[in-house]
Amino acid sequence: MKEISIDELKNLQNYQLIDLRDQRIAEYGMMPRAINIPLNKFENNFEECIKELDTNKATVLYCQRGELSRDISDLLNKRGINAYSLIDGYNAYLRELISLDEYYDETVKMTEDSIRNKFHKQLFSPFAKACKNYELIKEGDHIAVCISGGKDSMLMAKLFQEIQRHKKVNFELTFLVMDPGYNFENRALIEKNAKKLGIPVTIFESRIFDAVDTIEKSPCYICARMRRGHLYNKARELGCNKIALGHHFDDVIETILMGMLYGGQIQTMMPKLHSSNFEGMELIRPLYLVREEDILKWRDYNDLHFLQCACHFTDTCTTCHEDGTISSKRLETKKLIAKLKEENPFVENNIFKSVENVNLSTIIAYKKDDIKHHFLDEYEKEK
């Protein structure tokens, strides 16, 4: 087995870097110069993957923790390809980022200037529009801005700070981070990015990851439900009446299409909801009209590196995939939308508008308050 450390990598000449993580994880950030060839692609079509490699260079492979990359590097070496597995994987890169000394005041100014100027139309305008159109912020609100550490929630926090400066409505903000059992690298990266962006976070701990370790069926679904419950509970304890989550426009349209294709129903991700378990609490989604590609552009423009999937199953979890070999249904839906967009550039907006323009007179059946209504109920009365 040939392995290489992050320090040794700096002295390696003429190499290519391969990110073995799932595409949906790699999209949140990869090591500089890396190309994404997911592990399941190597497992399903090894020969095709070899064709994508430059065999004149050393090949350095990494996964999240440096475990799964060992097997692929061994297979490549057996084929005569000079390959290394990066020790500790992407986590080693995160530790390197955390250790760097940076000028935080400059970063805060740069990111805020980019929101006010370069990305004002793409980010702040749709954020403010969603807040106004869906009445997400009201006088006297105390909003818990829930920060997972990813690009979406971090940007949401900055946009909340910006809209609060406009002082059109008086409201309070608490930037809430729940640590469900992060490893050292993930926790440290969240803390560093919060400081780097000028976000005064309140961190509380839970042991959700430990609790779902023993769950075999749908641990990701149960984990998500438990996380939201803990966030509601802590927010209420801190005097908040709302929690804000970082779901964006792409999440909304993917949810609509997934409901139709895989759930046999028409539904959407709502811009706000009353909590059914925490009386007086609301959930709001102020990034509702913000496009993911614009969030990515803002992140890359400011050279920011955020947390991706922080689950400690990341390298070995098969529940994030349908059968452990194919991508998640959400990624499939994302790819389908991208394909449709090649033929029709308006397809994303049309999917979004479809749930705003529902004509009940052309619907076979629908539910309201768990009561099913059928078109035959009124059909004879219309004669």
Side-chain angles (χ1 to χ4, degrees), residues 138-356:
K138 293 187 176 181
E139 191 75 22
D141 275 348
H142 186 172
I143 302 168
V145 182
C146 300
I147 297 174
S148 65
K151 67 186 191 319
D152 308 325
S153 61
M154 285 290 192
L155 172 63
M156 177 176 66
K158 294 307 297 176
L159 290 170
F160 263 118
Q161 287 180 326
E162 185 62 25
I163 204 168
Q164 192 178 45
R165 290 189 183 101
H166 289 216
K167 297 183 178 178
K168 291 187 176 181
V169 179
N170 292 312
F171 64 97
E172 293 181 59
L173 295 173
T174 293
F175 300 101
L176 194 58
V177 176
M178 180 184 65
D179 181 347
Y182 292 139
N183 61 30
F184 167 79
E185 292 83 5
N186 288 332
R187 169 76 177 250
L189 185 61
I190 292 174
E191 292 174 340
K192 178 168 184 173
N193 278 331
K195 186 176 180 183
K196 191 175 181 180
L197 292 170
I199 303 169
V201 293
T202 298
I203 302 179
F204 73 101
E205 297 180 357
S206 70
R207 305 311 304 171
I208 290 176
F209 284 172
D210 290 342
V212 298
D213 267 354
T214 56
I215 297 173
E216 294 183 5
K217 187 176 181 181
S218 303
C220 297
Y221 170 77
I222 294 169
C223 179
R225 291 292 298 269
M226 290 177 68
R227 287 164 70 120
R228 187 169 298 181
H230 277 74
L231 286 169
Y232 267 124
N233 193 56
K234 188 65 178 180
R236 186 168 63 178
E237 179 187 312
L238 294 172
C240 302
N241 64 312
K242 293 179 179 177
I243 67 169
L245 301 184
H247 297 116
H248 48 62
F249 181 89
D250 297 68
D251 292 322
V252 177
I253 62 173
E254 288 159 17
T255 298
I256 294 169
L257 208 53
M258 285 171 66
M260 297 171 66
L261 299 178
Y262 305 117
Q265 58 188 338
I266 297 175
Q267 63 176 16
T268 189
M269 181 182 283
M270 298 297 287
K272 64 179 181 180
L273 291 167
H274 289 291
S275 172
S276 55
N277 297 316
F278 295 85
E279 188 177 350
M281 297 288 292
E282 276 186 274
L283 179 155
I284 62 173
R285 295 182 170 107
L287 295 183
Y288 204 75
L289 303 178
V290 178
R291 301 296 183 99
E292 185 176 30
E293 65 176 326
D294 293 323
I295 300 174
L296 290 168
K297 287 175 182 176
W298 173 79
R299 178 199 68 185
D300 296 341
Y301 176 81
N302 291 291
D303 193 26
L304 298 168
H305 302 270
F306 295 119
L307 195 64
Q308 65 282 342
C309 178
C311 174
H312 58 185
F313 295 127
T314 298
D315 266 354
T316 55
C317 181
T318 57
T319 60
C320 298
H321 312 281
E322 194 63 16
D323 61 6
T325 59
I326 62 173
S327 297
S328 68
K329 294 303 181 189
R330 186 167 290 277
L331 181 57
E332 287 180 12
T333 306
K334 186 185 288 287
K335 289 180 178 178
L336 173 61
I337 293 172
K339 185 69 176 175
L340 294 171
K341 191 179 176 182
E342 292 175 7
E343 299 293 328
N344 177 7
F346 305 107
V347 71
E348 292 164 307
N349 278 331
N350 288 342
I351 294 171
F352 185 86
K353 289 177 181 176
S354 69
V355 292
E356 290 185 337

Side-chain angles (χ1 to χ4, degrees), residues 74-87:
D74 280 346
L75 289 173
L76 290 174
N77 281 307
K78 288 175 182 176
R79 294 291 298 272
I81 297 170
N82 184 24
Y84 299 85
S85 172
L86 181 63
I87 297 170

